């Protein structure tokens, strides 16, 4: 009995650092956010308890719904090219020939650049007056006058930003897919070859099913990243035109900092957190099923 | 057991240390100390300032103070303009504030109301320098008859016009427009020159640029824009609709470049110097910038007009210098203010750098006399105003705010102007009601 208790205490002692870390950096801030969402608090005045008023206000806030729906649309738009594109690049570069290694490196390099930096870079590339994109398109005769890529038309802006994010992020998925593809035992690939399977059949019936867990993992990471999109929209359009490209996180930022409405910002964050949690649960269930 | 016995001692010691610590953080409270332009006590003074403002000017002012006061130099920290309000609020909430700070003047009322700035009334109210200090700055430095700051630097908006293009279009380069109908007629002629030249400029995606340059057109036309506080009516007067109609007509007539729609403020300061714009509302800072960018361009500066001939207005922007609650060096912060308003600094730092003086009686100085454009732009201080509201960012400056939304709908859609104004009015009122 004594030894059991002692070993439990030793076990707890081993766990303690990680437990304290989680309590301090995850549980406490989350609790603080929930607490804030029930208050009106500007940081420069004391917090005032308002109950569910922030949540009620959110339901009637057109800008909240606009940004929430836009974030979902952006996520739906950008996730397929990231997954399909990343997978195709992985298939093309999975084997280790020098040319493929170079391609892999070139595609991966943008991943190590910060999102803020890459957004600024693309902001200038897409500039109507000074941008290289318009210059190139004009020079090769594809357009007659510069296109206003950012902040004028919502669809054009969304397309331009999505293109810049695909450029920035696609290498991340590619690397994970390459790892998964290379982890397939060579016996399985050889057996499919002996059975006379074509390349397409090998990919669809052997490689894809065996890498499905990685596909789901990359999808989960992409979806979460897209639902939290901020930097690229903050830098490239600031939500324009007419707030049609404002993401949920951008709206949280605006309320929490420039507007100094921390309580409302916290309530908005809660909704975003619950949405991401819902997506994560679905993805995890799918992952478990694919594993089974 | 021994550990338990130590607890009360430890707690008492901790409380004692905390109490001592708090004692040492109490700011100097000698209200009767006479302000000078030198140090009251030695040791570094900490100051925060936004990086998006007039950095070169603030650097020069700090350098001037540091040269004169080597025993209490100012240690200046720049904070990105967009993060300044949040950073100040965090500093206040955590008790980590500088001794003094530069603050974008339009945000001052919010912090004054929250009682987060040191009330300086008894220390500075009798200063003769304040009688001629920029009215716009002093308006927002005052809350319920108490004074919280003095001007750090001033930016005013005015109408810049390209004399070369005026000449090419057959207009008299010495006669800028004095009303909006006249401005429209001039713009038509300049646009008719063709090529890449346009008569006017509208920053289509920048809320701040528009309150700086289109706001005065409304004020000059007798309108009021912002809701000052709860229950106040925004967008009052015929001038609102008249100016929106004027801007819509300018866009539809092709008097502004298509690319202006995407202008979010990043390249606003470079537009006039490009030489492709006939007339443009911009700020005093553009005199030097345009000269650097386009040395051969001949241009003039006039006041931003309203609907009727001779009416004019300007936006007085810039920064205040204020003292946050918790400052440990209030007396020296006040001395810095006295220094900034002194005759010598007004002339030998502000005017010498061709920046506006923050006192109107200092405009007649040798440096401005040698630079007529600065003299012209300085006239804006007399007709200028600074909006006074507790929710300036939400109503006006935010890219998500009703001000920019209203302007964009007016510029680029065919929606009824009455509907556009009514929608914006509703949103502005709702924001002010939450203040």
């Amino acid at each position: 009995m004594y030894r059991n208790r002692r070993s439990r205490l030793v076990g707890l002692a081993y766990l303690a650092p990680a437990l304290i870390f989680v309590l301090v950096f995850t549980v406490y801030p989350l609790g603080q956010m929930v607490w804030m969402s029930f208050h009106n608090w500007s940081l420069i005045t004391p917090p005032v308890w308002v109950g569910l008023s922030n949540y009620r206000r959110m339901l009637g806030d057109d800008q909240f719904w606009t940004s929430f729906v836009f974030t979902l649309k952006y996520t739906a738009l950008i996730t397929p090219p990231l997954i399909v594109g990343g997978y195709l690049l992985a298939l093309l570069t999975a084997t280790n020939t020098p040319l493929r290694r170079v391609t892999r490196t070139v595609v991966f390099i943008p991943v190590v650049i910060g999102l803020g930096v890459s957004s600024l870079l693309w902001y200038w590339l897409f500039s109507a007056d000074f941008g290289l994109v318009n210059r190139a398109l004009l020079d090769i005769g594809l357009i007659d006058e510069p296109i206003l890529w950012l902040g004028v038309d919502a669809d054009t802006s969304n397309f331009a930003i999505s293109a810049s994010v695909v450029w920035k992020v696609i290498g991340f998925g590619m690397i994970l897919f390459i790892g998964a593809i290379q982890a397939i035992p060579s016996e399985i690939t050889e057996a499919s070859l002996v059975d006379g399977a074509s390349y397409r059949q090998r990919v669809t019936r052997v490689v894809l099913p065996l890498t499905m867990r990685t596909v789901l993992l990359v999808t989960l990471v992409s979806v979460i990243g897209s639902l939290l999109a901020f930097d690229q929209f903050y830098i490239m359009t600031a939500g324009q035109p007419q707030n049609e490209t404002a993401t949920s996180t951008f709206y949280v930022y605006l309320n929490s900092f420039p507007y100094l409405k921390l309580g409302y910002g916290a309530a908005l964050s809660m909704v975003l957190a619950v949405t991401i949690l819902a997506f994560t649960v679905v993805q995890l269930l799918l992952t478990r099923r694919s594993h089974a | 057991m021994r550990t338990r016995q130590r607890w009360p001692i430890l707690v008492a010691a901790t409380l004692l240390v905390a109490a001592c610590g708090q004692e040492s953080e109490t700011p100097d409270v000698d209200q009767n100390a006479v302000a000078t332009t030198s140090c009251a006590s030695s040791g570094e003074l900490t100051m925060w300032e936004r990086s998006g403002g007039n950095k070169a000017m603030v650097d020069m002012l700090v350098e001037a103070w540091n040269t004169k006061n080597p025993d209490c130099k100012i240690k200046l920290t720049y904070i990105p303009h967009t993060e300044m309000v949040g950073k100040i609020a965090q500093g206040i909430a955590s008790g980590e504030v500088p001794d003094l700070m530069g603050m974008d003047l339009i945000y001052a009322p919010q912090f004054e109301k929250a009682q987060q700035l040191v009330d300086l009334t008894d220390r500075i109210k009798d200063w003769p320098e304040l009688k001629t200090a920029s009215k716009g700055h002093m308006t927002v430095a005052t809350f319920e008859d108490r004074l919280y700051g003095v001007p750090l630097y001033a930016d005013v908006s005015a109408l810049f016009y390209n004399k070369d293009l005026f000449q090419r279009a057959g207009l008299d380069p010495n006669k800028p427009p004095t009303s909006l109908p006249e401005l429209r007629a001039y713009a038509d002629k300049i646009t008719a020159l063709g090529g890449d030249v346009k008569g006017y400029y509208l920053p289509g995606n920048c809320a701040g640029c528009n309150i700086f340059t289109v706001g005065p057109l409304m004020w000059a036309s007798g309108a009021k824009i912002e809701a000052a506080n709860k229950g106040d009516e925004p967008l009052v007067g015929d001038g609102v609709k008249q100016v929106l109609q004027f801007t819509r007509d300018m866009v539809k007539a092709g008097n502004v470049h298509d690319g202006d729609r995407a202008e979010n403020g990043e390249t606003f300061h470079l537009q006039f110097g490009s030489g492709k714009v006939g007339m443009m509302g911009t700020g005093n800072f553009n005199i030097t910038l345009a000269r650097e960018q386009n040395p051969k361009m001949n241009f003039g500066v006039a006041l931003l007009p309203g609907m009727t001939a001779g009416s004019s207005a300007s936006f007085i922007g810039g920064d205040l210098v204020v003292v946050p609650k918790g400052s440990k060096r209030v007396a020296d912060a006040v001395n810095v203010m006295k220094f900034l308003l002194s005759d010598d600094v007004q002339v030998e730092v502000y005017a010498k750098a061709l920046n506006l003086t923050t006192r109107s009686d200092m405009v007649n100085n040798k440096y401005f006399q040698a630079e007529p454009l600065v003299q012209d732009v300085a006239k804006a201080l007399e007709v200028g105003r600074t909006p006074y509201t507790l929710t300036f960012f939400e109503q006006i400056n935010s890219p998500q705010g009703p001000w920019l939304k209203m302007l964009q709908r007016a510029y680029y859609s065919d929606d009824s102007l009455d509907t556009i104004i009514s929608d914006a009015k509703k949103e502005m009122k709702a924001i002010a009601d939450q203040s």
Side-chain angles (χ1 to χ4, degrees):
Chain A
M1 187 73 175
Y2 174 75
R3 280 187 66 179
N4 267 349
R5 196 173 152 210
R6 185 183 163 82
S7 62
R8 227 179 287 140
L9 284 173
V10 170
L12 264 177
Y14 278 120
L15 271 179
L19 204 60
I20 290 168
F21 193 86
V22 170
L23 283 173
V24 172
F25 293 105
T26 308
V27 177
Y28 173 73
L30 264 173
Q32 180 81 0
M33 190 174 79
V34 174
W35 176 85
M36 273 162 58
S37 73
F38 295 119
H39 289 78
N40 270 351
W41 192 21
S42 71
L43 266 184
I44 58 175
T45 48
V48 177
W49 171 265
V50 292
L52 289 170
S53 140
N54 282 327
Y55 290 95
R56 272 198 296 271
R57 189 182 144 201
M58 190 190 308
L59 295 175
D61 184 348
D62 291 343
Q63 185 53 52
F64 160 70
W65 289 111
T66 306
S67 56
F68 188 69
V69 170
F70 174 72
T71 308
L72 294 178
K73 270 168 65 180
Y74 168 73
T75 304
L77 177 78
I78 201 161
T79 306
L82 283 177
I83 307 305
V84 176
Y87 205 91
L88 289 176
L89 281 166
L91 285 172
L92 286 172
T93 60
T95 46
N96 270 327
T97 61
L99 188 64
R100 286 178 175 182
R101 254 177 271 157
V102 170
T103 312
R104 200 189 290 177
T105 309
V106 169
V107 174
F108 188 72
I109 279 174
V111 176
V112 300
I113 301 172
L115 192 52
V117 176
S118 83
S119 300
L120 206 55
L121 170 76
W122 282 94
Y123 173 78
W124 285 105
L125 288 174
F126 280 125
S127 161
D129 298 326
F130 314 103
L132 279 179
V133 174
N134 273 338
R135 192 68 270 154
L137 293 175
L138 285 166
D139 286 350
I140 58 175
L142 274 180
I143 55 173
D144 297 326
E145 53 186 44
I147 296 173
L148 301 174
W149 290 103
L150 299 170
V152 172
D153 176 75
D155 291 337
T156 313
S157 301
N158 202 1
F159 170 78
I161 292 178
S162 298
S164 75
V165 173
V166 167
W167 172 83
K168 159 89 182 78
V169 178
I170 200 164
F172 176 71
M174 177 193 74
I175 289 293
L176 291 182
F177 290 137
I178 287 172
I181 291 168
Q182 286 177 340
I184 297 172
S186 56
E187 297 84 3
I188 296 177
T189 317
E190 282 159 13
S192 65
L193 281 169
V194 169
D195 288 346
S198 65
Y199 178 74
R200 199 172 132 194
Q201 283 172 324
R202 282 208 309 280
V203 169
T204 53
R205 298 188 187 173
V206 179
V207 180
L208 192 58
L210 288 174
T211 54
M212 194 45 79
R213 291 196 75 199
T214 309
V215 172
L216 288 167
L217 171 73
V218 175
T219 308
L220 179 64
V221 173
S222 296
V223 166
I224 292 175
S226 306
L227 289 173
L228 292 172
F230 171 74
D231 311 42
Q232 58 270 44
F233 290 95
Y234 177 74
I235 292 169
M236 294 168 80
T237 61
Q240 296 306 318
Q242 296 284 303
N243 303 334
E244 288 174 36
T245 62
T247 61
S248 292
T249 312
F250 185 39
Y251 196 49
V252 169
Y253 160 78
L254 270 179
N255 278 284
S256 302
F257 298 105
Y259 296 175
L260 291 181
K261 288 180 176 165
L262 258 71
Y264 191 49
L268 295 167
S269 298
M270 286 298 297
V271 170
L272 195 58
V274 168
T275 309
I276 290 171
L277 193 68
F279 272 97
T280 310
V281 168
V282 170
Q283 297 276 15
L284 286 176
L285 287 174
L286 287 172
T287 311
R288 193 175 293 172
R289 193 178 293 173
S290 81
H291 187 54
Chain B
M1 194 66 185
R2 281 171 65 188
T3 314
R4 272 186 200 160
Q5 277 173 342
R6 278 181 185 166
W7 265 106
I9 301 165
L10 274 173
V11 170
T14 310
L15 288 173
L16 190 67
V17 168
C20 289
Q22 267 194 326
E23 187 68 32
S24 67
E25 283 177 13
T26 306
D28 50 359
V29 287
D30 183 5
Q31 299 281 332
N32 299 319
V34 178
T36 68
T37 57
S38 301
C39 306
S41 54
S42 60
E44 200 172 59
L45 278 165
T46 52
M47 178 177 178
W48 289 355
E49 167 63 4
R50 60 177 170 140
S51 60
N54 199 337
K55 183 178 180 297
M57 183 72 246
V58 178
D59 282 344
M60 278 184 255
L61 292 167
V62 168
E63 179 62 33
W65 168 270
N66 288 348
T67 306
K68 186 171 190 289
N69 299 286
D71 290 339
C72 61
K73 285 186 175 177
I74 292 174
K75 187 189 172 199
L76 184 59
T77 302
Y78 281 104
I79 291 157
H81 167 60
T82 49
E83 292 166 24
M84 190 67 179
V85 171
K87 174 74 180 170
I88 295 171
Q90 286 165 33
I92 286 167
S94 65
E96 293 295 321
V97 291
D99 298 319
L100 71 161
M101 58 190 181
M103 173 180 269
D104 188 346
L105 79 177
I106 42 116
Y107 296 121
Q110 194 177 355
F111 286 87
E112 288 156 9
K113 190 194 175 197
Q115 296 187 325
Q116 294 299 344
L117 303 181
V118 175
D119 180 350
L120 303 169
T121 317
D122 297 333
R123 292 172 184 265
I124 68 174
K125 67 176 181 206
D126 296 327
W127 289 2
E129 297 93 330
L130 289 188
K131 287 183 184 136
T132 53
S134 160
K135 282 196 179 66
H137 285 75
M138 295 317 294
T139 304
V140 285
T142 308
F143 183 77
E144 293 179 345
D145 296 327
R146 308 301 292 174
L147 279 170
Y148 293 89
V150 302
L152 177 60
Y153 65 83
D155 280 333
V156 295
S157 53
L159 183 75
F160 281 51
Y161 61 102
N162 186 320
K163 291 187 174 183
D164 297 330
L165 293 178
F166 263 52
Q167 215 143 20
R168 279 178 57 198
L171 297 164
D172 184 345
N174 296 315
K175 284 190 180 165
T178 57
S179 69
L180 290 178
E182 212 172 22
L183 198 156
R184 165 70 203 272
Y186 287 15
D188 286 347
K189 286 187 179 172
I190 295 168
T191 303
L193 291 172
D196 207 11
V197 168
K198 296 287 180 186
Y200 195 55
Y201 182 84
L202 283 169
N205 204 359
C206 173
C209 313
N210 275 291
I211 189 64
F212 194 57
T213 59
V214 175
L217 306 183
M218 291 186 182
W219 294 329
S221 305
K224 170 180 173 263
I225 298 172
E226 75 282 0
N229 45 41
K230 205 172 179 175
D232 192 29
E233 187 76 7
L235 301 171
V236 179
D238 296 340
V240 176
K241 190 176 174 184
Q242 288 165 343
V243 170
L244 291 183
Q245 186 66 56
F246 159 80
T247 52
R248 175 176 279 186
D249 292 346
M250 289 291 254
V251 173
K252 287 207 187 305
N255 281 333
V256 294
H257 286 106
D258 283 345
D260 300 354
R261 287 188 70 167
E263 175 61 65
N264 65 0
E266 288 284 336
T267 57
F268 175 68
H269 60 294
L270 301 174
Q271 299 298 335
F272 187 70
S274 70
K276 295 173 185 170
V277 176
M279 293 169 287
M280 171 179 172
T282 179
N284 50 300
F285 49 83
N286 228 315
I287 295 175
T288 316
L289 277 176
R291 286 232 169 97
E292 284 169 6
Q293 196 183 342
N294 199 340
K296 288 181 183 165
M297 187 173 75
N298 187 15
F299 63 95
V301 178
L303 295 175
L304 286 161
M307 288 305 292
T308 55
S311 56
S312 58
S314 168
F315 182 105
I316 299 181
D319 280 21
L320 287 171
V321 55
V322 296
V323 187
K325 277 260 171 80
S327 164
K328 300 174 191 75
R329 304 280 299 277
V330 180
D332 271 327
V334 170
N335 288 347
V336 173
M337 294 177 181
K338 186 82 178 166
F339 174 80
L340 294 171
L341 290 171
S342 66
D343 292 8
D344 192 42
V345 172
Q346 289 284 312
V347 176
E348 292 304 326
V349 183
Y350 286 96
K352 191 177 180 184
L354 294 184
N355 263 282
L356 286 179
T357 59
T358 57
R359 279 170 51 197
S360 57
D361 58 333
M362 290 286 115
V363 172
N364 290 321
N365 60 69
K366 59 184 175 184
Y367 299 109
F368 286 5
Q369 277 154 17
E371 176 48 280
L373 287 182
V374 180
Q375 275 187 316
D376 290 340
V377 87
K379 289 175 192 158
L381 277 171
E382 291 159 26
V383 296
R385 70 167 79 174
T386 303
Y388 193 104
T389 166
L390 301 172
T391 48
F392 185 87
F393 191 85
E394 275 188 84
Q395 284 187 63
I396 308 283
N397 244 17
S398 170
Q400 311 269 303
W403 167 248
L404 185 60
K405 208 189 289 183
M406 175 182 81
L407 296 179
Q408 288 183 327
R409 286 177 73 189
Y411 297 172
Y412 309 121
S413 81
D414 291 319
D415 297 350
S416 143
L417 288 178
D418 288 326
T419 310
I420 293 171
I421 294 168
S422 146
D423 290 348
K425 203 184 266 258
K426 207 165 28 176
E427 276 190 60
M428 282 183 171
K429 278 176 88 166
I431 291 167
D433 286 349
Q434 287 161 18
S435 64

